[in-house]
Structure formats: structure tokens, C-alpha cells
Amino acid sequence: MTDHRHHHHPLAADVTFRPAVIEDAPSFAAALARNRAYMSRWEPVRPASFFTAEGQAARLAELLADRDAGRAMPWVLADGQGQVIAGFTLSRIALGPYLSGLLGYWVDAGRAGRGLATAAVGAVCEAARDDLGLHRIEAATVIDNAASQRVLAKSGFERFGTAPGYLHIAGRWRDHHLFQRLLHDDPPPS
């Protein structure tokens, strides 16, 4: 399989979609700290260390090790200065008859409503199909996260169920809507 992980896509005049690198840790920390209150409704309760460059470096190191093992693929949206303004991660990538991954993402509140999330989810789906050979991407949203559900609907995802008590979010177990997008109908590689 050719390695397209290093491809960069300009998504807007000042925004690039590219693979995450360990050097992104400080700007991840800054963006997550800046968006902490805004994102707290949709996120697990995070320790203070999560919002530091050290905490993000540790998280990225784990993610990049998972990438190298074929289990995950992290991307970012970067602004004109190379600073992270959004994160998009495929995790729990599994091959064989399943051939799926789980999509998670966040976008800086100051950049919301510009269609960036929808464009980036499209780029993730393209990479998942063409580079990673996946058949399907799954995503889950807290049932009252309408903005995220609109992004998924615009990106060709279909809701296929609701999972009661799916994730511990903002201090309690929350029901989530489950979405999926089928990328192709080819059989798994033999």
C-alpha cells in the first residue's frame, strides 16, 4: 500500500489538512485550553495535564505509535502559521471482515460554521478509503450535539442506531447516536 500519510490538502485559503506530528503538541495544548469550556459539554472530564504541551506530547506519542501499528491515524487542520485549529482522528482501526475505524474530531470554536469540519471529514473518508483501504467509518455523537450530527449528515454518514450510556461525558454516562459511512463495496484483501 502506498503511504499517503504525508499528503497535505489546502482546505481553505488559510487552512491545511495534514497528518499530526509530535511537534504539534504545544499548539494542540493551546487550542484545547482555549476551547476547554466550549468543548466540555461533549468531552470526558480531562485532567489539568491534558491541557499542557507535555500532556499533549504524551497523547500524540501514543497516537503516533498506534498509527505505526496500523491502529489509528491522526490528522489536524492547521492555520497559516501552522498552528492546530482542529483535530480529526481515526482510531480502533481493525482489518479483516470488519475493515473499519472510529472517527473523532473537534474544531476550534472560533472557526466553527465555515464548513471546515465537513471538508476535513471528507478528506478523512478519502484517505481511509484510498490509503488505509477501509470499508467503513463509524462516529458517535452525544444525542444533543446537533452541530456534529449536521457535519456527519453532510459528509454522507447515516445514523444506524442509538447506544444508551455509551460514553462517560462531562461527568456522566451519556446516550449517543451512532453513525456510519460505507466507503466502498470491495471484499477485504485476501
Side-chain angles (χ1 to χ4, degrees):
M1 203 183 307
T2 36
D3 186 355
H4 297 282
R5 289 188 304 216
H6 306 297
H7 281 197
H8 294 212
H9 304 280
L11 280 197
D14 58 339
V15 178
T16 304
F17 174 82
R18 62 165 172 77
V21 291
I22 197 79
E23 292 76 17
D24 288 325
S27 76
F28 256 113
L32 291 166
R34 191 169 64 236
N35 285 277
R36 188 172 186 171
Y38 162 71
M39 285 178 6
S40 63
R41 285 178 303 167
W42 322 120
E43 288 275 300
V45 176
R46 305 289 195 189
S49 60
F50 181 82
F51 300 95
T52 66
E54 297 73 24
Q56 286 302 308
R59 187 186 70 88
L60 276 167
E62 239 171 80
L63 258 180
L64 295 172
D66 279 349
R67 177 200 68 192
D68 294 342
R71 288 191 298 265
M73 185 58 218
W75 291 274
V76 299
L77 291 183
D79 67 13
Q81 284 71 55
Q83 300 297 297
V84 172
I85 55 163
F88 294 79
T89 301
L90 276 182
S91 60
R92 292 195 217 160
I93 293 174
L95 305 179
Y98 184 60
L99 218 52
S100 293
L102 179 69
L103 173 64
Y105 57 88
W106 60 271
V107 175
D108 187 286
R111 303 285 185 138
R114 287 176 50 188
L116 290 173
T118 304
V121 170
V124 167
C125 290
E126 200 177 299
R129 184 189 65 219
D130 299 344
D131 305 345
L132 305 174
L134 297 184
H135 160 70
R136 172 182 170 274
I137 294 179
E138 185 173 322
T141 74
V142 177
I143 55 178
D144 52 355
N145 189 347
S148 198
Q149 290 163 25
R150 276 196 303 277
V151 167
L152 292 170
K154 283 192 288 194
S155 304
F157 283 71
E158 288 173 52
R159 187 172 139 199
F160 70 91
T162 299
Y166 181 74
L167 284 177
H168 200 261
I169 297 290
R172 60 196 176 95
W173 292 103
R174 301 288 305 276
D175 301 350
H176 281 59
H177 286 322
L178 306 178
F179 297 82
Q180 68 173 21
R181 178 173 162 183
L182 300 179
L183 302 172
H184 65 78
D185 290 321
D186 303 336
S190 45

